[in-house]
Amino acid sequence: MRQLTWRFLLLALVFLALSRLGLALWLWPRVGPAGGLWPVMSGGLRIDLSLLAMICALPALLSPWLGHRPRAARITAWWYRLWWMLFVLLELSTPQFILEYDTRPNRLYVEYLNSPHEVSAMLWHGYKGVLLFALVGLLLLGWVGFRVLRTQLVDARLRLRWRPLLTAVMFPLLFLAGRGTLEHRPLNASMVAFSDDAMVNTLPLNSLYSVINAIRGMHNERSSATLYGPMPEAEMQQLVREASGFEGPMPDPQHPSWHVQRASKRPAEPLNLVIIVEESLGAQYIGALGGEQLSPQFDALAKDGWLLARTYATGTRSVRGLEAITTGFLPTPAEAVLKQPRSQRGFFTLAGLLGEFGYHSRFIYGGEAHFDNMKSFFLGNGFDEVIDQPKFEVKPAFVGSWGASDEDMFNELHHRLMQGGGQPQFTLAFSVSNHTPWEYPSGRIEASDPAASVQNTVRYADWAIGRFFAKAKLSPYWKNTVFLVVADHDSRVFGASLVPVRHFHIPALILGAGVPAQRDEHLVSQIDLAPTLLSLIGISSVQPMLGADLTVHYPGRAIMQYGDNYGYLKGDQLLVLQPGQPAAQFHYEVADHQLTPVAVDPVLSRLALAHALWPSWAYFNQRYGLPPKSLQPAPAPAATVLKPMEPDKCCATRQL
C-alpha cells in the first residue's frame, strides 16, 4: 500500500503537470499577457497536492497496519486505478471542452450525463476524430496506469512499534496538503485565480478538481419554487416588471429585466464611483439612525450627503450584501451568486457595465480576496483588478486575524485614487475590522471595557471612515467622485420573529460630487443603490437590475432573505414566505420594531412570491447577463442640473 501510494502520487503529479503545461502553451496568447506560466504551474501544484492528499489519505494511513496483506494491496491498487482513469478521462476531455465553452470541464460536464442519448449522438456525429483520439489516449494511458499500479505490490511487514509512529507522521502531512494553506480558509479555486481572464483562471485547476468542485456547488443551487411554490412564468414576469416600473417594449424578450435607465444627472465628464462596504455595521450602532452613539464621524458626514435613513440589507452574510450592492440581484434561499457556479462568468455587475463606458474597475480588500470566492467572481465578471492585502502598495500598520485594518484599507484606497489618470474609475472597497475577534490598533479610539468588543470595533471603523473622508475632501479626486458608504449586513441578526426586520436595517450614505445634502426617510433596499449610483454619475444604460433609481422614484419596499424565510416589506406590511407553509403577514411598527399578525393580502402575497421566484428563474436560465454594447444608448448632451426628487406623501425627505 505504501508503494502503491508513492507510485500513484508521482504518476498523477507528473501527468497533471504535463497536461497543464500543454494547455498553457496551447493557449499562450492568453496565458502570457495574463501572467505567464509560473502562476499556472505553481497554483496547479497546490491544487493537485490537495486533491491527491484527500484521495490517498485513507490508504496511506492504513498502510503501516495493512500494507503487507495481499487483499488490502489489491483493493488499494484498484482504488488508485479508478482515480487514475478519472484523471485521464477528464484531462483528455479538456481541450475540446475549452474549445466549446472556454473553460475547463465544469457543471455542464455532469449535466450532460442526464441526456446520454442526445450527447452520445452529438459526439458521434460531430466529433468522431476527437472521440477516436480520446479513446486511443484513454487506452494507452490506462495501460500505463494499470502497469504502474500493479495489484501484486505488497509492502514489507513493519514492526509493531513503528506502525503508530509512521501513522502519526503521515497524518499532519496529509492534512496540511489536503487543506492546502495555513490561512483562514482551506484551499479553493479562487485562491489560485490570478487573472481577469476567467478561462486562464481555470488552468491552475485540474479538470477532475473542477468537476468535483462544480458538483459540490450544485448542492447549493436551491430553487425558490421548491420552497415557496410555483407561479406561472408569465404572471411572475408581469408582476416583477410592473413593480419595477418597466414600461414599453423589452430590448430583448429573452431577458425580461433588461430596460433603459436614463440618468437624471449628466455631468460634463464621467464621474468616478467609490463604494465603501463596511463589515457588519448595522444601524443599531449608528447614532444618526437611532442606534448606539458610537458613530460621531458618520453622523457628521451624514449632514453633508444623502442619508438613506431607512435602508435594509437583503441578507445576513457579506456575500449577500456584495451581491445586492454590486449586481443588484435579488436574494434567494440559495448561496449568493458570488459562490454559485453558473454566475462565475457572464453575470451582470456594475463593473461589467461601467467597463462598456470606459471605466477601470478595482476591488480593494484588507483580507484575503479568495474568501467567499470574491476574487474569482469579480475577476470573472468585469473587474479589472483585485487588490487584497498582499498587493497593498501602502504597508499596513496593523494586521489582525481577518487582514489589514480599516485605516490600512482606506490608506490603500486613498493611494489608488490619488494615482488618478484620464480614465474614469470604479472602486469597490471592503473593510474587515468590525468582525470577531474584534481586533484593532491601539491608540486610535477611547475604548470601553472589554477592549475586544463590537462596540469598540464600531468606534474604530467610524474613526477610520472620518479620517479617510477628511483626506478625501482635500484631495483632487473629491470634486469628480461619488461615494457610497454602506454596510453589507448587521453584525448579529437574530430574533424570535420569522424575519427580524430591525436587524436588516443598515446605514447608507451617498456623498461627493453634486450629491444633495438631505435626510431621506423613504423605505429603500440594497438593490436600489446601484441604479441610483449610475444615475448620479451620469450613466444612461440598458441593464437588468430590478432596483429603483431613487433620484426618480421610490418603490417603497425592501426585500430580506433570512435563512429559508423570505420577507417582502411593502410600506408597513411585511409578507413572509416559509418553506411548505402558507404565507404570513404582519404589520411592522418601525418606531418600536413590533410585528403584529394581520390577515394575508392575496395581492401582496402574489407580488412577494413573484419576487422570490424571479431570481432563481433568472439564475437557472442565465438571464441576468450584461447587455451587449450595441444596445447601450448614445451619450446624452452634458448638463449639470440634477433632476429634483419629488417626495411622496407617505414619507419625509428633509433638505439640510
Side-chain angles (χ1 to χ4, degrees), residues 71 77 113 172 179 243 282 292 317 343 379 405 424 448 452 513 521 633:
R71 179 175 295 180
L113 298 179
R179 197 174 189 279
E292 297 183 57
R317 291 282 316 279
S343 51
L379 287 177
S405 67
S448 59
E521 299 289 348

Side-chain angles (χ1 to χ4, degrees), residues 293-297 398 405-407 433-434 438-467:
Q293 301 296 317
L294 303 174
S295 56
Q297 300 298 325
F398 179 87
S405 67
D406 285 10
E407 65 186 88
S433 292
N434 190 34
W438 320 122
E439 297 171 303
Y440 53 93
S442 61
R444 273 50 168 187
I445 60 169
E446 186 175 338
S448 59
D449 289 327
S453 67
V454 64
Q455 284 74 23
N456 285 330
T457 52
V458 168
R459 289 188 180 98
Y460 171 69
D462 181 68
W463 174 86
I465 291 171
R467 181 172 176 266

Side-chain angles (χ1 to χ4, degrees), residues 325-342:
I325 295 164
T326 64
T327 76
F329 198 62
L330 276 62
T332 70
E335 290 273 16
V337 293
L338 275 73
K339 302 175 72 172
Q340 294 278 42
R342 299 186 197 217

Side-chain angles (χ1 to χ4, degrees), residues 271-561:
L271 297 179
N272 298 321
L273 175 61
V274 174
I275 298 178
I276 298 166
V277 181
E278 287 290 323
E279 173 69 55
S280 305
L281 192 64
Q284 63 173 311
Y285 305 115
I286 304 299
L289 301 179
E292 297 183 57
Q293 301 296 317
L294 303 174
S295 56
Q297 300 298 325
F298 182 92
D299 297 346
L301 285 169
K303 298 176 182 178
D304 298 332
W306 183 5
L307 177 63
L308 297 164
R310 286 199 63 201
T311 303
Y312 289 85
T314 58
T316 62
R317 291 282 316 279
S318 295
V319 280
R320 183 111 285 162
L322 291 171
E323 170 189 67
I325 295 164
T326 64
T327 76
F329 198 62
L330 276 62
T332 70
E335 290 273 16
V337 293
L338 275 73
K339 302 175 72 172
Q340 294 278 42
R342 299 186 197 217
S343 51
Q344 296 308 300
R345 298 182 62 202
F347 200 80
F348 174 84
T349 65
L350 270 179
L353 177 65
L354 291 174
E356 299 289 336
F357 293 87
Y359 279 70
H360 177 85
S361 297
R362 63 168 75 93
F363 172 52
I364 299 178
Y365 181 54
E368 302 157 357
H370 63 81
F371 177 69
D372 273 343
N373 203 50
M374 294 184 293
K375 181 179 180 181
S376 182
F377 176 83
F378 288 143
L379 287 177
N381 289 295
F383 280 80
D384 298 298
E385 58 179 337
V386 170
I387 304 164
D388 55 6
Q389 182 196 330
K391 294 185 178 180
F392 275 20
E393 294 180 354
V394 180
K395 184 179 179 181
F398 179 87
V399 177
S401 300
W402 286 93
S405 67
D406 285 10
E407 65 186 88
D408 294 314
M409 184 276 288
F410 279 122
N411 287 339
E412 186 69 21
L413 172 60
H414 176 72
H415 168 71
R416 300 282 178 160
L417 294 176
M418 286 294 290
Q419 293 176 356
Q423 187 177 14
Q425 306 285 318
F426 166 45
T427 306
L428 173 68
F430 188 17
S431 71
V432 301
S433 292
N434 190 34
H435 198 294
T436 55
W438 320 122
E439 297 171 303
Y440 53 93
S442 61
R444 273 50 168 187
I445 60 169
E446 186 175 338
S448 59
D449 289 327
S453 67
V454 64
Q455 284 74 23
N456 285 330
T457 52
V458 168
R459 289 188 180 98
Y460 171 69
D462 181 68
W463 174 86
I465 291 171
R467 181 172 176 266
F468 167 73
F469 278 103
K471 290 192 297 184
K473 288 180 178 180
L474 300 176
S475 302
Y477 58 77
W478 175 258
K479 64 181 184 297
N480 64 342
T481 303
V482 171
F483 296 85
L484 167 67
V485 182
V486 63
D488 53 356
H489 56 85
D490 199 356
S491 66
R492 182 167 174 245
V493 180
F494 63 95
S497 54
L498 294 177
V499 177
V501 177
R502 67 179 299 180
H503 290 292
F504 282 80
H505 188 197
I506 58 171
L509 173 64
I510 305 174
L511 65 169
V515 176
Q518 58 186 357
R519 181 185 177 95
D520 192 333
E521 299 289 348
H522 288 85
L523 181 60
V524 170
S525 172
Q526 268 180 330
I527 64 170
D528 301 321
L529 299 175
T532 303
L533 292 171
L534 287 175
S535 198
L536 289 172
I537 64 175
I539 297 295
S540 297
S541 63
V542 174
Q543 46 91 351
M545 295 184 286
L546 298 177
D549 174 2
L550 301 176
T551 69
V552 177
H553 73 99
Y554 295 95
R557 57 88 191 96
I559 297 169
M560 292 158 272
Q561 188 78 44

Side-chain angles (χ1 to χ4, degrees), residues 216-248:
R216 290 175 59 195
M218 290 167 67
H219 292 298
N220 295 324
E221 293 185 309
R222 307 171 67 200
S223 170
S224 298
T226 61
L227 270 67
Y228 310 131
M231 172 182 280
E233 183 179 323
E235 180 186 1
M236 176 189 71
Q237 299 291 0
Q238 180 183 357
L239 288 172
V240 169
R241 284 181 56 82
E242 287 178 354
S244 300
F246 299 161
E247 298 176 349

